[in-house]
Every structure is written in structure tokens, then in C-alpha cells.
């Protein structure tokens, strides 16, 4: 009831005509928009209390924020500018949507056929200690996210959890570890994280310099796995699997692997957007399924797209609309200005923590546009910070949002329980990055 009352008050204020000069009017609008972003965050935090799906609330507030921007436009020129910014924001969202849909369809198929479980059985023994399991899964997520995108790495890694008989608390802890490991692995190569690619393309770091980040990232991930395993003694068993695969299943698994490899190679050689390559791979998957499967197939290949968690996509849509709104009203530019007020090393550390609240892509873009004068060690520390810092909150990265939608035990509030250890691991990785970078460069 309090939630609805608060929303009603904001809406009443938003749609009340304002008579006065332009500056107070803009201040009023910005205050309302920032309030909507805060309420949206609160709706995620208290989802278990309000029983309102977070995907629906974030989508509602994201759309409402842009509606208010249009309604409060003072001229045709301003309206046109908002249209252009919205179109740019929607293009980014559509690209992510299509990429997620393609990846999630592949993973849904492989998971339904039991092929992910078969991969686990090939890599892991039938019984192992919790500590070894955490280190092994963390290492797997770290390496996978370095060679492919964070979304694919998260989906595959979360799929591993279904292969083990895990208690709810242990499953949640493993999901948190996977989020941190995926974000950590992505900083070491341009194929792993968008922000790493952005900083690389600006010429601030080289491929060999980025590889240096793999050591501090690995150390912090392994340490976090050890800390998580301290209160989780015992052993876990691998769930038995009797799955049988057809030639079509193996062919589609091969298509998935080749799509990942092609995505990396074509992006580096010809700057082809990853979404285009993945859609191409998805189309080949559909064609193979159409020609090889009989009509008696329990689920036709195309129907696996229905198993995609569209709540995840709607949640992404709402979050990115809100972030785009904050960019439009200049909040990200204010953060960029605040960046120059302290030393670069401290600014990078805080910026990484800030990426847990604001999307790291526009935040990094704003910093690159400001063109700060940083040394190579400072650029490397910034790369690590914006890549890993989003792990501090479950909504701070694509990996976290996907994991929260896939693991029902993982919520915003339950994730906060692990915040002290996550900050410790993030801080250690950041300090190791600065130390190593200063020694070599």
C-alpha cells in the first residue's frame, strides 16, 4: 500500500502543470525522474514484500520516465532531440535483446537435451568436496567469460548448477560466485567485456597489457571461492544423467561452439557486431533442425525459443530505459565531472563500485568522452574496476540480472548478504592490478 501511495504522489506531481521559468521547471522534472529511478530500485529490493515482479516494475518506470521527458519538452527541437536519444537507447536495447534471445535459445536447447550436464560429467568427478566444486566452477566461469561474452558464460555456468544436488543456500552462494567470476574473466580480453573493448578501441590499452589483468582477476576469484567454501563443508554428488543424443543434437552443439568462435574472430577481423553473428548461428540451428528432425520430434527446434525467460529480457529493457533516461538528463556527465575531483586511482575504484548501480557501458563511454589523462596502470585499473565492480550488486551487471532470473533463491536482498566478501575480493583484485601494472609499466 505504501508503494502504491508513493507512486501515486510522484505521478500526481509529474503531471501537474508548472508555471514558471525554465530552470525551476527542469529542476522539478529531474527530481521526479531521479525519484522514479530510486523507486524502481526499491521495487527490486522489496519484490518479496510487494509481490510485484521486478521486470514489470522496472519496465513501467522506464517507460514512464521517457513519457515524462516528452511531455515536459518545451519546444519541437527538444522533442526531436529526445526522439533521437530514445531511438539510440532502443537500438542498444534491441541489439542486446536479440543477442540474449539467440544465446538463450541455444542454451535452452542444450540444457533440455542434457548436453550441459554431459559436459559437467566429463569435466567433474561423480563426487567432490564443496571447496573443490566452488573452485572448479569459478575457474570454468572465469575462463569461459574470457573467451566469449558474459551473457553466454553466465547462462552456461548457471546451467551447471542443475547438474549438482545442491541445497538452496549453497546454490545461491554458487550463483553469486559465478557472477563475480564471469565479470572478472571478461576484463582480460576484448571478447569478454564490452567496456574492455571500448577502452581498447580508444587506444588506451593493448592486448598484451590486458592479459595482465587475468592474474589479479584469477586470484580474487579463487580467494572468494575459498572464503565461500569455509561455511560449506561436506561433499556434493553429480546428478546422474542418461541422456542420449542424436546426430542433430551434436550438430547443434557444434554450431553453438562455432558461433562463439566466429563471433570473436569476425568482430576482431571485420568489426562485425556479435549480435549479427549469433543470429546467423541461430538461423543455421533452425535450418539444421528443420531438415534433420521428423515431425514426431517432441519439441521442434524453433519452439525452443519459447523457453527463453522473457522476464529477463523485460527486466533488461526496464533497466536500460532508466539508465538511458539518467544519461539524457545529465546524471552520468555529473559523475564524469566528479571523477576529476580525486586522484585517478581512487576515482577508478569508486567508479567501479558506481557501476553496480549504473550500467558500466554508458558510464565508461562518458569517461572516455571526458578524455582523462591517465597512465597505462591507471587505464588498466579502470578496465578492471568497471568490469568487476558491477558484481557488488546483483543488478549491476548482465551476469547478475540473468542469474537472478534463473536462480529463484537469488534475490536483491539475499545478494546483499555477500556484499562484504565481494567488496573484499573486488578491492584485492583492484590493488593487485595497480601493483602489477605499476611494476611492468
Amino acid at each position: 500500500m505504501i508503494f502504491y501511495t508513493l507512486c501515486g504522489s510522484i505521478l500526481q506531481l509529474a503531471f501537474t502543470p508548472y508555471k514558471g521559468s525554465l530552470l525551476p521547471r527542469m529542476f522539478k522534472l529531474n527530481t521526479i525522474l531521479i525519484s522514479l529511478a530510486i523507486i524502481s530500485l526499491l521495487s527490486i529490493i522489496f519484490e518479496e514484500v510487494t509481490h510485484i515482479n521486478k521486470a514489470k516494475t522496472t519496465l513501467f518506470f522506464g517507460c514512464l520516465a521517457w513519457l515524462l521527458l516528452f511531455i515536459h519538452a518545451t519546444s519541437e527541437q527538444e522533442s526531436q532531440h529526445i526522439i533521437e536519444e530514445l531511438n539510440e537507447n532502443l537500438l542498444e536495447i534491441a541489439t542486446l535483446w536479440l543477442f540474449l534471445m539467440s544465446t538463450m535459445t541455444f542454451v535452452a536447447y542444450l540444457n533440455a537435451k542434457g548436453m550441459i550436464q554431459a559436459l559437467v560429467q566429463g569435466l567433474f568427478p561423480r563426487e567432490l568436496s564443496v571447496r573443490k566444486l566452488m573452485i572448479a566452477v569459478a575457474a570454468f566461469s572465469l575462463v569461459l567469460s574470457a573467451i566469449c561474452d558474459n551473457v553466454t558464460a553466465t547462462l552456461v555456468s548457471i546451467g551447471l548448477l542443475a547438474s549438482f544436488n545442491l541445497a538452496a543456500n549453497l546454490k545461491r552462494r554458487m550463483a553469486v560466485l559465478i557472477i563475480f567470476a564471469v565479470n572478472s574473466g571478461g576484463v582480460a580480453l576484448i571478447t569478454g567485456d564490452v567496456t574492455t573493448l571500448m577502452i581498447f578501441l580508444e587506444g588506451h590499452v593493448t592486448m598484451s597489457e590486458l592479459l595482465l589483468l587475468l592474474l589479479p582477476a584469477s586470484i580474487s576469484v579463487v580467494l572468494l571461492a575459498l572464503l565461500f567454501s569455509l561455511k560449506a563443508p561436506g561433499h556434493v554428488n553429480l546428478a546422474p544423467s542418461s541422456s542420449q543424443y542424436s546426430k542433430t543434437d551434436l550438430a547443434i552443439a557444434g554450431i553453438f561452439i562455432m558461433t562463439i568462435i566466429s563471433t570473436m574472430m569476425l568482430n576482431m577481423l571485420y568489426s562485425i557486431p556479435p549480435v549479427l553473428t549469433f543470429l546467423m548461428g541461430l538461423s543455421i540451428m533452425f535450418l539444421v533442425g528443420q531438415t534433420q528432425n521428423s515431425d514426431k520430434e517432441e519439441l521442434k527446434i524453433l519452439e525452443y525459443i519459447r523457453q527463453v525467460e522473457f522476464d529477463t529480457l523485460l527486466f533488461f529493457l526496464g533497466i536500460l530505459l532508466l539508465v538511458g533516461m539518467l544519461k539524457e538528463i545529465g546524471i552520468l556527465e555529473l559523475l564524469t565531472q566528479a571523477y576529476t575531483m580525486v586522484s585517478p586511482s581512487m576515482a577508478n575504484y569508486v567508479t567501479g563500485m558506481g557501476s553496480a548501480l549504473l550500467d558500466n557501458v554508458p558510464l565508461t563511454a562518458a569517461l572516455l568522452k571526458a578524455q582523462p589523462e591517465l597512465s597505462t596502470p591507471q587505464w588498466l585499473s579502470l578496465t578492471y574496476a568497471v568490469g568487476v565492480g558491477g558484481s557488488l550488486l546483483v543488478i549491476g551487471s548482465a551476469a547478475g540480472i540473468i542469474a537472478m532470473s534463473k536462480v529463484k533463491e537469488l534475490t536483491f536482498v539475499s545478494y546483499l548478504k555477500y556484499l562484504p566478501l565481494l567488496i573484499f575480493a573486488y578491492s584485492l583484485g583492484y590493488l593487485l592490478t595497480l601493483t602489477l601494472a605499476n611494476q611492468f609499466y
Side-chain angles (χ1 to χ4, degrees), residues 87-107:
N87 287 338
E88 181 180 344
N89 195 208
L90 290 176
L91 177 61
E92 295 175 359
I93 294 171
T95 301
L96 179 60
W97 259 59
L98 292 172
F99 183 79
L100 277 171
M101 183 271 293
S102 304
T103 307
M104 294 170 79
T105 303
F106 268 114
V107 175

Side-chain angles (χ1 to χ4, degrees), residues 152-173:
T152 305
T154 305
L155 287 169
V156 174
S157 299
I158 291 296
L160 296 181
L161 298 185
S163 302
F164 295 93
N165 297 315
L166 301 176
N169 185 48
L170 183 57
K171 188 176 183 181
R172 180 171 57 245
R173 200 177 306 178

Side-chain angles (χ1 to χ4, degrees), residues 218-419:
S218 302
I219 292 175
S220 61
V221 167
V222 171
L223 178 62
L224 185 64
L226 291 173
L227 292 173
F228 274 11
S229 65
L230 291 178
K231 295 183 180 180
H235 292 72
V236 292
N237 297 316
L238 186 63
S241 174
S242 57
S243 302
Q244 295 182 350
Y245 316 118
S246 64
K247 292 182 179 179
T248 302
D249 299 334
L250 295 174
I252 290 176
I255 292 170
F256 184 45
I257 295 172
M258 289 305 300
T259 299
I260 294 174
I261 296 173
S262 300
T263 298
M264 294 186 294
M265 298 303 297
L266 293 176
N267 182 264
M268 287 188 290
L269 295 175
Y270 304 106
S271 300
I272 296 176
V275 62
L276 182 59
T277 310
F278 250 96
L279 285 173
M280 183 66 180
L282 187 66
S283 67
I284 297 174
M285 172 186 176
F286 290 156
L287 290 173
V288 169
Q290 182 69 34
T291 56
Q292 298 297 321
N293 283 334
S294 65
D295 293 335
K296 296 181 179 180
E297 179 76 13
E298 181 181 356
L299 283 174
K300 294 181 180 179
I301 301 297
L302 188 60
E303 292 180 350
Y304 277 93
I305 202 169
R306 299 177 186 174
Q307 298 185 22
V308 171
E309 296 284 348
F310 279 92
D311 269 0
T312 303
L313 299 178
L314 291 175
F315 190 28
F316 264 115
L317 176 56
I319 288 290
L320 293 178
L321 281 172
L322 286 168
V323 172
M325 174 272 295
L326 293 175
K327 179 183 178 183
E328 170 65 16
I329 65 176
I331 297 299
L332 295 184
E333 292 183 6
L334 291 176
L335 292 176
T336 304
Q337 294 174 10
Y339 179 89
T340 60
M341 297 175 63
V342 295
S343 66
S345 298
M346 179 57 67
N348 290 341
Y349 179 78
V350 175
T351 299
M353 300 183 76
S355 68
L357 283 172
L358 294 172
D359 188 88
N360 59 357
V361 173
L363 190 59
T364 304
L367 288 175
L368 291 173
K369 186 177 180 181
Q371 297 181 340
E373 295 184 3
L374 303 179
S375 62
T376 297
Q378 290 165 350
W379 278 115
L380 287 172
S381 66
L382 176 63
T383 305
Y384 179 88
V386 295
V388 182
S391 308
L392 300 181
L393 294 177
V394 72
I395 62 171
S397 65
I401 293 174
I402 292 172
M404 185 164 54
S405 68
K406 293 290 186 181
V407 181
K408 64 179 182 179
E409 295 86 356
L410 187 64
T411 63
F412 186 95
V413 175
S414 65
Y415 195 89
L416 293 177
K417 174 183 177 182
Y418 306 98
L419 183 59

Side-chain angles (χ1 to χ4, degrees), residues 42-54 172 408-415:
L42 292 175
S43 72
I44 299 170
I45 296 174
F46 296 107
E47 180 187 15
E48 294 179 337
V49 177
T50 62
H51 302 293
I52 304 175
N53 188 291
K54 58 183 173 291
R172 180 171 57 245
K408 64 179 182 179
E409 295 86 356
L410 187 64
T411 63
F412 186 95
V413 175
S414 65
Y415 195 89

